Structure formats: C-alpha cells, structure tokens
C-alpha cells in the first residue's frame, strides 16, 4: 500500500467515530486523530451532559407535584458540586467506551491535533506525519460569541458543565435550541434566569403555534423572557461584598478589565439592553449559534471549498471539492444533529468502502428541543406547508391530566399538518412533557408517508396525551 492508512479521520465525535468504525469493519486500515476528548460535542459538552442536567432540573417541579398528589415530599437544596462530580464521572466512562470501541475495531488513535500538509499527508501536533488514501474531516463546530466589545466576559455552552458553583442570576442571550434548553435547565435548578432574544419569538424556524406555547410555558415557570431585545453594551463589575453587595466598575476596584473573568466569585457583568434597561448578572451566557471547525486544518491551501459561514462544501456523498477528501457532521453545517452526523458517517462508508454510493437523506429528520415542556417536531411547519400546497391543520391544546389534577396551568399542544391533495401528514408538532420520545415514533409514520386516514385508523391508547394525535377528526383550519 502506498499510504500508511486507507482512511484518516480527523475528529473523534459522533460522526467521525462511527465512520472510522464502520470503515474499519470492511477491512480498511483506519486512523483517527482527536485533539480533545473522544466523543466530541455530543458526549463531552453537548447532548449527553445537557440531558443529564435536564433530568436534574426536573426534580424540583416533580417534588412540588408530588405534594399535590398527597406525598409529604420536600426537596432539599441542590448540590451542584456533587452533581457535577458525578456528571464528569459519567462523561469519563462514556469517553472510555468510545475509546474501547475504536480500539476494538482496530482503529489507530492519535490524541493530537491534525493538519493536512497535502491532500494525502497529515501532520500531527505531536510531530508525527501519516499518509492516507482518503481523508475524512469530522471536526464539528464550536459555540460562537457575538462580535461585540467585552463578549469574552460571557460564557458559552462548553463552560456551563464546568462551573464551580451555580450563579444566583444569569442572562441567556439567544432564542435557539441551546438558549431555550439552558433557560429551562437553569431555571429548574433554581437560578434566576433572564433571556434576551433579538427576534419576535424564540425558536425561529419551528411551527409558530408550537414556539408560542413553549415561550408561554417558559414564562409561566418563571423565566424572564424578553423578545426583541439584545445587549448593546456589557462591562465587568466587581461586587464589594463588604459594602452590602454594591456593584461598581472594576477599574474603581483596581482590577484590569482584561483580566476580569465573568462568573468568578464576587464578580458580575453589567449589561445595557436595547430596551434601555441596565442590569447586573452573575453570568452572561451566549447561546448565539455554533461555527464549523474548518479553519487551521490546511484545507484552504488544498482548494477545499469552504462557504462564507465557514462550512466545508460537500456533495450529496459528503465529498469535498478535492477528490479524496470527505467531510461529515457539523463542520459541513447541513443539519447540526448527532444522529445526522452518524448517518453521514455510515453513508460515507457505504459509498467509499462498500461500493454502494449512498447519498445522505436529510428529509423529514425528527428532532426535539429539550425545553420544559419539550418541543418535538418532524416535517413541515404550518407556515412552510401552506407556501407549498393547500393544507388542512389539525390542532389541539389542552391541560394534561397529570398537572391539571394539581391545578397547574400547564398546557400541551398536538398538531398535524395534512396535504389536501395526497392526505399525507406533512408535519407533526408536539409541545408536551416527553415530546422528544413521542416525536421519534410519529417520525416513523411521517417518514413512511402515512396519511391522516392512517392515523385515524389507529386506535387510541387511553388515557394518554398522544391519543389526541389519532382522534382529531375535524381540521381547525384550511389554508
Ligand atoms: P441556533 O442557531 O439554534 O440559535 C442561535 C440563536 O442565537 C438564534 O436565536 C439567533 O437569533 C441568536 N443569535 C445569533 N447571533 C446573535 C447575535 N449576534 N446577537 C444575538 N443573538 C444572536 O444555535 P444554538 O447555538 O442554539 O444551537 C446550534 C445547533 O445545535 C442547533 O441549530 C441544533 O441543530 C443543534 N442543537 C440541537 C439540540 C437538540 O437536538 N436538542 C440541542 C442543542 C443544539 P436569530 O434567530 O435571530 O438568528
């Protein structure tokens, strides 16, 4: 073989690891370089620790509910340090699992940063050089701070899992998945949460009614959500605890602004907002989107196409403009979801190592926002569908049995978008506890192209919230 390896994967996240393992299983000689921890964003600083924090944050409300159901329940204080230790123990375990899977598949691991010297040569930060016939870039993305003075004072999602202590107050900036999920998590853990979103409604791109209900429920739970609001100015403050918690500009306390680290004990951030208010928060958390990790890999010099947002341009088979270089996952910015990156990795192996060219199917990908309540969605929103063709909208919103019993104002929403012409269900949107679990199942039906009549032929499971999905007989409107 003229090269050291058949395949060299750069990036040990969900997509890269899956591609490496499946390629190695075909007999290919595979290496993988990861500069940070094996598992990538999903396992180490994304989906997994986030979901564990979601679970942790739900107990307060559950214990309040338990009292309404007759339990003499009283929840004590939340031990962040204890939880964090356990959380990181779990992440260490999962990282070990990923390493063992790679070793067990005979994938050679390089714990180094990799850079391409030419289209077949990889230079590693430990000084090693390796060559490979095919190169797969799976370097993921990273959280972005807005381009504004003092943005370094804000934390990003990567930082949240490592906080020394939970703040008393936090300002979350953004209205996407991460902003809304962490607003709910931190609120559930007892932090005073303020959220600024620059647009008219959070969760842009999701169904209007669904996002409206999520916003209402978030406010109902105590999140101070401000729409059409952004930061215009932010500076470091230091709190003189000895003077009754008064805050003042850090210079007056003799601290260099550049040295100021947001969230350090006794230090806070002063924020002026577009709505004119001036407030001080323990932390400012920027959940303002993620950027692809495409720079510093030597790709530009090789002529690999990178778009204005920094995403590597690929064809339907994840091939870049350089014939033997492929890219998958968030670095290509197609759909930034772990299961999509995994699919892209498997399609890559089919295409390159199984002589079975496989384009990735990005249509009708179900997803969930783990807010409280959750938002599960698959297919078109009402707004998208009505632009495409005549539709019927089936929708119901009600107080679910579990919390209505406790006289809670919680509401859930079940919504189906149906094509008038084909009767196919074009989209489903659920706002409810466990909507993520529900939408996985509905996703099968929508992906299979089932019609509203197929839904109606299915007998309800009673008493459940989701039985409404098969019992909505009349459209609420047509469009
Ligand atoms: P999103 O793109 O979802 O949201 C970014 C938010 O930040 C938007 O509300 C955007 O506003 C706002 N924003 C961007 N720039 C600025 C700025 N300069 N000032 C103020 N606000 C700004 O990104 P996330 O970081 O939340 O998530 C990244 C991706 O990760 C998601 O798209 C999703 O694919 C994935 N993810 C999936 C999860 C899941 O499956 N549950 C969980 C977490 C992440 P505007 O709408 O106006 O552009």
């Amino acid at each position: 073989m003229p090269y050291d390896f058949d395949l060299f994967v750069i990036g040990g996240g969900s997509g890269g690891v899956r591609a490496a393992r499946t390629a190695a299983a075909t007999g290919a000689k595979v290496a993988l370089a990861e500069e940070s921890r094996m598992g990538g964003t999903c396992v180490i600083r994304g989906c997994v620790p986030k979901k564990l924090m979601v679970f942790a944050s739900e107990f307060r409300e559950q214990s309040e509910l338990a009292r309404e159901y007759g339990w003499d329940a009283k929840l004590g204080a939340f031990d962040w340090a204890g939880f964090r230790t356990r959380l990181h123990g779990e992440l260490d375990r999962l990282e070990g699992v990923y390493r063992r899977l790679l070793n067990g598949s005979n994938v050679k691991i390089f714990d180094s940063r990799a850079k391409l010297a030419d289209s077949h040569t990889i230079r590693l930060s430990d000084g090693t050089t390796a060559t490979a016939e095919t190169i797969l870039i799976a370097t993921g993305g990273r959280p972005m701070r807005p381009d504004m003075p003092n943005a370094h004072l804000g934390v990003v999602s990567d930082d949240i899992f490592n906080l020394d202590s939970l703040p008393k107050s936090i300002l979350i900036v953004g209205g996407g998945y991460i902003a809304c999920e962490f607003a709910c998590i931190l609120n559930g853990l007892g932090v005073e949460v303020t959220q600024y979103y620059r647009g008219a409604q959070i969760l842009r791109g999701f169904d209007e009614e669904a996002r409206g209900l999520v916003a209402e429920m978030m406010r109902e739970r105590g999140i101070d959500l401000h729409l059409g609001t952004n930061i215009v100015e932010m500076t470091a403050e230091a709190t003189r605890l000895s003077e009754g918690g008064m805050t003042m500009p850090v210079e007056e306390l003799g601290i260099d602004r550049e040295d100021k680290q947001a969230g350090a004990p006794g230090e806070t951030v002063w924020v002026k907002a577009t709505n004119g208010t001036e407030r001080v928060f323990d932390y400012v958390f920027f959940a303002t989107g993620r950027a692809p990790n495409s720079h510093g890999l030597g790709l530009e010099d090789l002529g690999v196409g990178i778009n204005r947002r920094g995403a590597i341009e690929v064809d339907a088979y994840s091939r870049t403009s350089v014939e033997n270089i492929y890219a998958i996952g968030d670095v290509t910015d197609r759909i930034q979801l772990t299961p999509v990156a995994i699919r892209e990795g498997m399609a890559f192996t089919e295409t390159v190592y199984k002589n079975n060219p496989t384009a990735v199917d990005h249509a009708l990908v179900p997803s969930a926002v783990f807010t409280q309540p959750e938002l599960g969605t698959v297919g078109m929103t009402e707004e998208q569908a009505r632009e495409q063709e005549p539709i019927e909208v089936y929708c119901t919103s009600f107080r679910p049995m579990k919390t209505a019993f406790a006289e809670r104002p919680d509401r859930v929403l079940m919504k189906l978008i149906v094509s008038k012409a084909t009767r196919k269900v074009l989209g489903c949107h659920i706002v409810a506890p466990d909507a993520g679990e529900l939408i996985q199942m509905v996703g099968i039906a929508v992906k299979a192209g089932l019609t509203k009549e197929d839904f109606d032929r299915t007998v309800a499971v009673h008493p459940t919230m989701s039985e409404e999905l098969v019992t909505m007989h009349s459209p609420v409107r047509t469009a």
Side-chain angles (χ1 to χ4, degrees):
M1 186 170 72
Y3 301 110
D4 300 330
F5 297 99
D6 296 311
L7 172 66
F8 199 105
V9 180
I10 305 182
S14 308
V17 168
R18 183 61 64 94
R21 286 176 53 211
T22 51
T26 68
K29 194 174 176 199
V30 182
L32 183 148
E34 168 57 58
E35 65 173 332
S36 176
R37 296 180 63 183
M38 205 62 76
T41 298
C42 172
V43 177
I44 304 297
R45 60 192 88 83
C47 322
V48 172
K50 180 275 305 286
K51 191 78 190 276
L52 290 168
M53 283 184 75
V54 169
F55 292 142
S57 71
E58 287 173 339
F59 287 105
R60 194 175 58 156
E61 194 177 301
Q62 290 302 319
S63 85
E64 285 163 14
L65 202 55
R67 276 204 296 281
E68 303 291 338
Y69 273 84
W71 287 93
D72 177 18
K74 191 172 182 327
L75 209 61
F78 178 64
D79 174 13
W80 165 254
F83 169 76
R84 196 192 53 192
T85 303
R86 200 174 178 125
L87 175 72
H88 286 281
E90 177 63 2
L91 303 185
D92 292 346
R93 187 185 72 79
L94 291 172
E95 184 180 4
V97 169
Y98 268 67
R99 277 183 186 279
R100 276 197 298 282
L101 286 172
L102 286 169
N103 287 325
S105 307
N106 289 323
V107 174
K108 165 104 177 118
I109 298 174
F110 291 95
D111 287 300
S112 297
R113 182 169 172 79
K115 192 177 169 179
L116 298 185
D118 63 46
S119 60
H120 290 285
T121 309
I122 303 97
R123 197 152 290 147
L124 294 145
S125 52
D126 66 3
T128 325
T129 297
T131 58
E133 182 173 13
T134 303
I135 288 165
L136 178 67
I137 314 289
T139 44
R142 62 185 187 286
M144 277 188 310
R145 289 178 171 79
D147 183 16
M148 64 176 289
N150 289 331
H152 70 280
L153 297 174
V155 296
V156 292
S157 56
D158 289 359
D159 305 316
I160 291 292
F161 310 110
N162 297 313
L163 298 179
D164 290 334
S165 57
L166 280 183
K168 188 169 174 302
S169 67
I170 195 163
L171 169 64
I172 299 183
V173 183
Y177 279 81
I178 296 178
C180 296
E181 289 180 347
F182 276 100
C184 294
I185 290 169
L186 294 169
N187 179 59
L189 294 177
V191 178
E192 287 166 21
V193 177
T194 305
Q195 184 177 356
Y196 289 171
Y197 174 53
R198 63 184 178 181
Q201 183 55 281
I202 55 167
L203 296 171
R204 182 164 62 81
F206 289 86
D207 186 87
E208 294 277 350
E209 284 176 325
R211 50 207 283 241
L213 181 57
V214 173
E216 204 178 309
M217 289 293 101
M218 284 170 63
R219 283 196 169 116
E220 180 64 45
R221 282 173 161 76
I223 295 164
D224 186 17
L225 172 63
H226 296 260
L227 300 173
T229 307
N230 209 345
I231 296 182
V232 280
E233 207 185 327
M234 63 191 282
T235 58
E237 295 282 328
T239 304
R240 257 193 213 174
L241 297 172
S242 58
E243 291 185 11
M246 260 178 56
T247 61
M248 52 207 307
V250 285
E251 283 94 346
E252 287 180 27
L253 296 179
I255 300 170
D256 182 348
R257 268 184 198 277
E258 291 306 309
D259 292 342
K260 162 77 173 67
Q261 288 300 312
E267 295 183 353
T268 51
V269 186
W270 171 87
V271 170
K272 184 168 180 188
T274 46
N275 62 12
T277 56
E278 296 178 31
R279 292 175 63 183
V280 173
F281 300 94
D282 288 343
Y283 283 91
V284 172
F285 174 176
F286 288 117
T288 43
R290 296 177 60 85
N293 285 328
S294 58
H295 296 300
L297 295 167
L299 297 174
E300 297 90 339
D301 299 341
L302 297 177
V304 172
I306 295 177
N307 73 16
R308 279 186 60 234
R309 277 188 36 82
I312 299 178
E313 292 171 343
V314 289
D315 67 12
Y317 302 97
S318 300
R319 188 192 288 247
T320 71
S321 47
V322 175
E323 206 188 5
N324 71 309
I325 302 181
Y326 290 75
I328 56 166
D330 287 3
V331 76
T332 62
D333 196 20
R334 288 175 279 183
I335 302 180
Q336 294 181 34
L337 295 174
T338 281
V340 173
I342 289 173
R343 288 294 173 110
E344 290 168 358
M346 283 156 52
F348 160 81
T349 293
E350 288 292 323
T351 303
V352 180
Y353 295 103
K354 291 191 173 176
N355 200 22
N356 174 31
T358 303
V360 185
D361 180 4
H362 288 108
L364 296 172
V365 173
S367 75
V369 189
F370 293 98
T371 40
Q372 295 168 26
E374 296 176 6
L375 165 57
T377 189
V378 62
M380 274 187 266
T381 64
E382 179 180 342
E383 297 71 37
Q384 290 165 338
R386 63 148 62 112
E387 290 297 309
Q388 175 181 291
E389 61 182 280
I391 54 163
E392 287 180 357
V393 178
Y394 295 81
C395 186
T396 178
S397 176
F398 55 96
R399 292 170 70 202
M401 194 177 182
K402 185 174 177 182
T403 41
F405 177 80
E407 292 171 25
R408 294 282 184 82
D410 300 27
R411 295 192 78 78
V412 302
L413 176 122
M414 305 275 159
K415 181 168 178 179
L416 295 176
I417 315 297
V418 177
S419 162
K420 267 189 176 174
T422 65
R423 305 299 299 153
K424 280 186 182 175
V425 175
L426 302 173
C428 175
H429 311 280
I430 302 175
V431 179
D434 293 326
E437 303 291 344
L438 300 176
I439 207 67
Q440 179 68 83
M441 295 296 105
V442 183
I444 300 170
V446 175
K447 185 76 183 167
L450 298 191
T451 62
K452 176 67 171 63
E453 284 64 39
D454 291 320
F455 276 63
D456 293 347
R457 281 192 297 116
T458 309
V459 174
V461 178
H462 183 74
T464 63
M465 293 179 293
S466 52
E467 67 183 297
E468 299 289 334
L469 290 170
V470 297
T471 55
M472 292 188 285
H473 295 306
S474 309
V476 289
R477 60 190 164 268
T478 57

